[in-house]
Amino acid sequence: MENNEILLKPAISFAVLKILPLIFLTLLFLLLAWYLSPFFVFFSIGTLAAGWYRLLYIRKSIYLVTPEVVRISRGIFFKRTDMLEIYRVKDYVITQSFILQLLGLMNLTLKSTDAENPVIWMVGIPESDVIDTIRDYVQEARKHNRIYEIN
């Protein structure tokens, strides 16, 4: 990886936060299996497997920002990689809920003129000044490719 490439991944704390309802549901099914019927163990195993899959799916998301493209890779069994030319990025939005602020994380939304990917969400990434770097990359790519915005 070159020095001017930025590799972003959702944090493990964000992934655990996202699967927390499935963890609670797994524990509830275990309690029901203990008190009512042992068949609830199967539901517990199913929700635990769904939570594990969701955790791996979130953690396998990779956002690579280079001076030319933004590459988004997702998936475990079936991988999908989307590429967005950096000069197509039009707007940037950073959102942080209270919990994300406590964890030092942020959600970054990139709005673009690309027909296939008009909006790109980078969720649960560590809080940083990556938006300034992306903005510099966009300005340089537009200048290099002679792209001017007409309003």
Side-chain angles (χ1 to χ4, degrees):
M1 185 167 35
E2 292 181 23
N3 199 15
N4 54 359
E5 293 179 349
I6 303 169
L7 181 67
L8 300 168
K9 290 179 71 169
I12 188 70
S13 56
F14 176 77
V16 169
L17 184 69
K18 284 296 193 180
I19 67 162
L20 209 55
L22 289 173
I23 292 171
F24 287 138
L25 193 59
T26 299
L27 293 175
L28 176 70
F29 282 136
L30 280 177
L31 282 174
L32 289 174
W34 181 265
Y35 288 112
L36 295 178
S37 171
F39 292 110
F40 281 107
V41 170
F42 297 115
F43 293 114
S44 177
I45 293 170
T47 55
L48 184 63
W52 184 251
Y53 178 80
R54 184 70 182 150
L55 178 84
L56 289 177
Y57 183 84
I58 291 171
R59 288 293 291 163
K60 288 288 185 178
S61 297
I62 298 172
Y63 314 112
L64 181 66
V65 181
T66 68
E68 292 86 23
V69 295
V70 177
R71 184 181 310 142
I72 305 101
S73 297
R74 290 192 176 99
I76 297 172
F77 299 116
F78 302 101
K79 256 193 170 338
R80 177 182 171 137
T81 301
D82 289 324
M83 305 271 251
L84 172 69
E85 294 291 331
I86 197 79
Y87 65 82
R88 291 184 176 266
V89 175
K90 296 284 284 178
D91 199 12
Y92 332 88
V93 178
I94 294 175
T95 55
Q96 288 181 296
S97 65
F98 179 69
I99 293 174
L100 288 181
Q101 290 177 32
L102 289 177
L103 295 174
L105 303 173
M106 67 181 184
N107 293 334
L108 174 61
T109 305
L110 300 177
K111 298 179 182 178
S112 72
T113 58
D114 190 40
E116 183 69 27
N117 300 307
V119 178
I120 293 177
W121 291 284
M122 298 181 187
V123 294
I125 59 176
E127 193 174 4
S128 66
D129 60 346
V130 69
I131 197 72
D132 296 329
T133 307
I134 292 174
R135 185 177 186 283
D136 292 340
Y137 287 170
V138 169
Q139 295 299 326
E140 188 62 34
R142 286 183 181 171
K143 191 184 309 179
H144 182 263
N145 292 320
R146 296 186 184 117
I147 296 173
Y148 303 101
E149 185 176 336
I150 299 174
N151 292 326

